[in-house]
Amino acid sequence: MLERLLELPTDHSFFLFGARGTGKSTMIYDQFRNQSLIINLLDPELEDRLTKRPNRLREMVESLPVETKFVIIDEIQKIPKLLNLVHLLIETTDKIFILTGSSARKLKRGHANLLAGRAFTCNLHPFSSFELKQEFNLNEALEYGLLPKIYNLKTSKSKNHYLQSYAHTYLKEEIWAEQFVQDLDPFRSFLEVAAQMNGKEINYANIARDVGVDGKTLKKYFSILEDTMLGFFLNGFKHSFRKRLSTRPKFYFFDTGVKRALDLSLDLPLKESTSAYGDAFEHFVLLEIFKLSSYFYPNYKFSYLRTKDDAEIDLVVERPRQKTLFVEIKSSRELADDSLRNLAELSRDFGDCEAICFSRDSHARLVNGVQILPWQEGLQKYFRLKDES
């Protein structure tokens, strides 16, 4: 098993959330199996028994031997009311509870007992390039993403099939089985349109018209993606400097391969120097930044900046007690000096910030006040803990 960057607590109960297929169970079982009671709610018989009589959990935990230190409950969102018992058992036993889930929606929307600080919250993402090390291949990552299962598959055909199955399983098990929507057809259409709009400003009225639903339903659909951890919003930068700024959000899917499965573009190879390749590279690097920051710098705040005259910066990173980062992401191997003119001008207007560009350049350069960095070097410098290697 590859070593993950996320460091899990061993002396305190915690939730571990992440989209399906990110490796939550593998990570938990590898680290904690030998001292654990494992309750997997994907087992329909066990789920049925605990749904009908939740107090069975208390009986199971209170009968454990002293040497069993951990209680793992996989897919806790399937029976949210178990959290009341978990709360009690944390207070009355010395067991450490590990609670995993691929969707926090039922817990959030159903006002479930989230244990009021008695359990930390950790999030696991698909692989990072830093976890894969020598196994990492950029073009493979852009086309097929970084879900762990992809790295057990050897052919493009099998990878395509897995990603298509992933999208189908998401609809069947996360959406239909959990009754998040009453009609799958418009939601299926929404997924395709939302994936096509990945990384672009959201115009709710236009997307609602394309999908054939009203604006309220469309916003519900986006909230389902966010709550099931299939993606996240990136809001417009809010600051009172001299430029008038766009306030529309963008939405990004959590994995480049899943995005391509949903927008039906898996069979179209990505070619360098095309806009599709540039979009995929920008998406990939942005996801790397979000993963690393989630693990190492969870207090960072992210947005994008676009002025009313269409000058844009891909990512603005507000860092406590440090300068704000203005980040551009370019897939070019040799950047033209004038390609970063907007970044240079906007960063000068803003003042107290660092202007950086992550690209496929092979060497770091400083051009007109903008630090151009090979993308992995830039990620290492700005988004990994300094004592990490």
Side-chain angles (χ1 to χ4, degrees), residues 51 61 79 82 90 121 126 148 165 168 219 276 283 289 296 311 327 374:
T51 298
V61 171
I79 314 180
L82 287 182
I90 288 175
T121 298
S165 297
H168 176 76
K219 290 183 179 181
H283 185 197
I289 290 171
F296 301 131
V327 184

Side-chain angles (χ1 to χ4, degrees), residues 4-72:
R4 304 302 300 262
L5 292 174
L6 176 62
E7 186 174 339
L8 298 174
T10 58
D11 58 356
H12 198 281
S13 296
F14 64 92
F15 291 97
L16 179 62
F17 290 120
R20 284 187 179 275
T22 50
K24 300 182 300 297
S25 297
T26 300
M27 185 179 186
I28 291 293
Y29 295 169
D30 181 73
Q31 189 166 338
F32 298 100
R33 181 191 295 274
N34 292 336
Q35 296 174 277
S36 296
L37 166 68
I38 298 174
I39 299 170
N40 188 346
L41 296 181
L42 290 177
D43 178 343
E45 184 178 337
L46 180 57
E47 180 191 4
D48 184 62
R49 289 204 304 269
L50 286 170
T51 298
K52 291 176 178 175
R53 198 163 76 84
N55 201 53
R56 181 185 289 268
L57 173 65
R58 180 177 181 175
E59 296 167 354
M60 295 167 70
V61 171
E62 290 182 343
S63 69
L64 291 173
V66 173
E67 58 267 23
T68 301
K69 184 177 180 182
F70 304 100
V71 177
I72 298 170

